[in-house]
């Protein structure tokens, strides 16, 4: 596990902002690159742009083959010609978040605070970032594309946090938003899980105080453990039972497996092999310091914090149309959190729909085959377009 | 973290069984020591003995100061004179499980399979053990104390698994059982969490292939990460919110903490400090190889496995009285699992009560102040004693 994994940043298409971004922490991070992909055509009126915000470990490769993994885009079933987010009608933009590791400025970018040694990367000196900082960078990107107003901002999980931050910070900048499988703040349990992931990474001696690149290693074991744990939280207990149950790869204790007698070690249950695979494949595409930075941004997320803990004033007077979506078996961002959000929006007299999709697939359902969810996305976007006289 | 932690086994009171225990894996483990504590007096008729089975990281120090931590016994509020398990009436026995690290034979005991080097400990060569193996060792202990039949077997979590295994393997050996906050099998989600804990330990270079004692180190970082993660599963989302919420130890991002500006690193939220403390204090009292062995025993646990997946035949014809207890906010061993157990017992025409305690404290509720639970334990044991004409 000590070898360097193929984490070459590569030349992802990106926009450069030499002036940088003013961060919540008070620092101006400059320069800033934001890597992004687009799909479809921007209309002559520039009124058909949908910004998609990716989840924690997602990236800008929404609807095309991923350049590192060779796998399909993470939302190809949702985004494309004739798909619910129909690129025959809409111009779709997705950018890698600030702090990410797929071409946007993050801990793996060259350090630029004047303290840098030659060739030094940011590493742990990368300033603390927030979800609002990510949104500020996206805002720069959107404006640089000549777009004055987005048609919609859509995203799930941490993407949904960005959606909410967009609606609060730039309420004039979009007609509609879809916050999906998300919450208006990160809960104590969410913070706790993130902290275990961070500790797993920091505990790996190959993390080397965040300067692993200097030794040509990555903290692969710690990052894999963090991913394994997080992955459990993305699935429901029901779907784990349905997909794996107690099925064993080897015989029961006392039996002979193909590799000899069953022992305490090695993978015995299928669910273990699945998790180990999730952990090891993640290490090849994600940067450990980005993991630390972005989980911290999620932990800080709390829309009500600027309003003495009251969510309603954050949305006061908003003209944005909201469609809040939750999934019944999601225990990481449960329906109760979405309901809290929807109630605050109603108290602010916002135009809000709230849809709970029945599914046993847990938090990951927003990435998976859910026909009712697809119909919700397609229907909401069509409805807003018709209402606006767009198509 | 590289220094040796004070994990001296010490001379815990114990019984020795030179003939050993036949294990499910086919190996006879010999000799076997079982460390135990007792409270109260065994009656002349030897009919008032209650065996308490401890949870995963518990031990035999139920109702007295712990010799390593100096803390009160883990169930002092339940066990003692006048307590719900009243040692003025009952003779209480609790033994450290086989595979444990508080005096019973486990991975930290001297290796005795004929392959050992001088002074070698079992380490990862310790044979795989099951919950049934733990119960076989407890059975030897109980018989060695001259007890033909226990009054009751009581335990929560992994202790509840042992309780069920007792009822199935030695149904003539007790009047009553209380399986608490447990399940008749370990679920895919439970196995998944255990596997992440194991991987965190194994990933720690100080684990050294399980031979850390030779280097005078312990895999403290990996063990702490495993404990932190497990600890989240012992608490409910509600209790984490009630106890910690989003309270910060430092200011928000951009502010100045007492140790300088808030950064991505360091503990920012109170829930993080709490978890880190749980992790680091655990390392001082628990052995990493025991963690691996015992989690595996839990994973293998499946009462129905010997009956083609059908739980009912496991309890056919039983004369034991069952009181099944669950806690409403326990998501590790949820009420649904207890209900599955109670239904199977009913189908087997067993004498069964099923009590769900309303609480927001999650899985750990069985160790905490829950007056309704206390009344249930006291009432059930008194009822069985009166029914039997004991007191």
């Amino acid at each position: 596990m000590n070898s360097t994994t193929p984490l070459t940043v590569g030349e992802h298409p990106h926009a450069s902002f030499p002036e940088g971004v003013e961060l919540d922490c008070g620092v101006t991070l400059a320069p800033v690159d934001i890597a992004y992909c687009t799909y479809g055509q921007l209309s002559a009126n520039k009124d058909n742009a949908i910004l998609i915000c990716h989840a924690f470990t997602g990236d800008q490769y929404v609807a095309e083959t991923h350049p590192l993994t060779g796998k399909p885009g993470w939302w190809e079933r949702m985004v494309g010609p004739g798909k619910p987010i129909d690129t025959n009608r809409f111009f779709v933009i997705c950018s890698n978040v600030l702090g990410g590791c797929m071409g946007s400025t993050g801990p793996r970018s060259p350090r630029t605070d004047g303290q840098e040694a030659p060739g030094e990367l940011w590493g742990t000196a990368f300033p603390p970032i927030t979800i609002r900082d990510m949104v500020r960078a996206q805002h720069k990107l959107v404006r640089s594309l000549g777009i004055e107003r987005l048609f919609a901002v859509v995203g799930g999980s941490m993407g949904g946090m960005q959606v909410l931050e967009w609606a609060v910070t730039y309420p004039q900048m979009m007609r509609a938003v879809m916050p999906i499988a998300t919450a208006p703040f990160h809960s104590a349990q969410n913070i706790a899980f993130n902290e275990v992931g961070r500790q797993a990474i920091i505990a790996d001696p190959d993390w080397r105080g965040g300067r692993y690149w200097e030794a040509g290693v990555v903290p692969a074991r710690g990052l894999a453990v963090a991913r394994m744990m997080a992955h459990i939280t993305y699935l429901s207990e029901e779907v784990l039972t349905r997909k794996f149950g107690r099925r064993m790869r080897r015989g029961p204790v006392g039996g002979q497996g193909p590799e000899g007698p069953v022992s305490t070690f090695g993978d015995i249950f299928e669910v273990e092999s699945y998790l180990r695979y999730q952990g090891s494949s993640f290490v090849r595409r994600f940067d450990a310091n980005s993991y630390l930075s972005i989980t911290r941004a999620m932990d800080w997320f709390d829309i009500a914090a600027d309003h003495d803990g009251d969510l309603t004033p954050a949305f006061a007077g908003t003209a944005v149309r909201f469609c809040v979506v939750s999934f019944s078996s999601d225990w990481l961002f449960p329906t109760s959190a979405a309901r809290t959000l929807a109630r605050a929006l109603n108290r602010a007299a916002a135009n809000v729909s709230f849809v709970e999709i029945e599914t046993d697939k847990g938090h990951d359902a927003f990435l998976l085959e859910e026909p009712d969810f697809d119909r919700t996305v397609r229907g909401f976007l069509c409805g807003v377009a018709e209402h606006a006289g767009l198509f």
Side-chain angles (χ1 to χ4, degrees), chain A residues 38-43 48 79-81 86-92:
Chain A
T38 67
Y39 308 91
Q41 297 294 323
L42 187 60
S43 61
N48 70 333
V79 179
D86 188 349
T87 52
N88 290 331
R89 299 177 129 198
F90 295 110
F91 177 64
V92 169

Side-chain angles (χ1 to χ4, degrees), chain A residues 126-188:
Chain A
F126 190 69
I129 52 163
T130 64
I131 299 290
R132 194 192 279 145
D133 294 332
M134 295 176 183
V135 167
R136 286 185 179 115
Q138 288 164 350
H139 182 254
K140 279 189 175 282
L141 173 68
V142 168
R143 298 302 286 262
S144 77
L145 296 173
I147 297 165
E148 297 285 322
R149 192 181 184 211
L150 291 160
F151 176 79
V153 185
V154 178
S157 195
M158 189 185 83
M161 293 179 177
Q162 295 161 60
V163 169
L164 292 174
E165 198 65 68
W166 264 96
V168 168
T169 308
Y170 304 109
Q172 311 300 325
M173 274 290 291
M174 76 289 286
R175 290 183 190 277
V177 295
M178 294 194 82
I180 298 159
T182 194
F185 61 88
H186 223 213
S187 75

Side-chain angles (χ1 to χ4, degrees), chain A residues 20-80:
Chain A
V21 175
E22 266 184 63
L23 304 178
D24 272 335
C25 68
V27 168
T28 296
L29 178 67
V32 161
D33 284 355
I34 296 297
Y36 68 104
C37 295
T38 67
Y39 308 91
Q41 297 294 323
L42 187 60
S43 61
N45 292 335
K46 299 185 176 178
D47 57 5
N48 70 333
I50 294 180
L51 178 71
I52 293 179
C53 302
H54 69 72
F56 169 26
T57 65
D59 52 43
Q60 67 271 38
Y61 295 99
V62 178
E64 64 196 274
T65 304
H66 195 279
L68 287 187
T69 66
K71 290 185 179 171
W74 59 269
W75 229 12
E76 283 211 7
R77 40 177 309 288
M78 187 64 79
V79 179

Side-chain angles (χ1 to χ4, degrees), chain A residues 231-279:
Chain A
H231 200 81
I232 301 174
T233 69
Y234 302 154
L235 305 176
S236 68
E237 196 269 335
E238 299 93 304
V239 80
L240 279 169
T241 298
R242 177 161 62 78
K243 285 177 76 170
F244 305 105
R246 295 184 42 80
R247 281 197 308 279
M248 298 188 194
R249 286 171 61 86
R250 303 171 181 222
V253 62
Q256 293 283 326
E259 297 151 50
V262 170
S263 83
T264 303
F265 306 97
D267 44 349
I268 289 171
F269 292 91
E270 287 187 9
V271 68
E272 297 172 303
S273 310
Y274 171 76
L275 280 180
R276 290 187 195 185
Y277 172 78
Q278 294 294 332

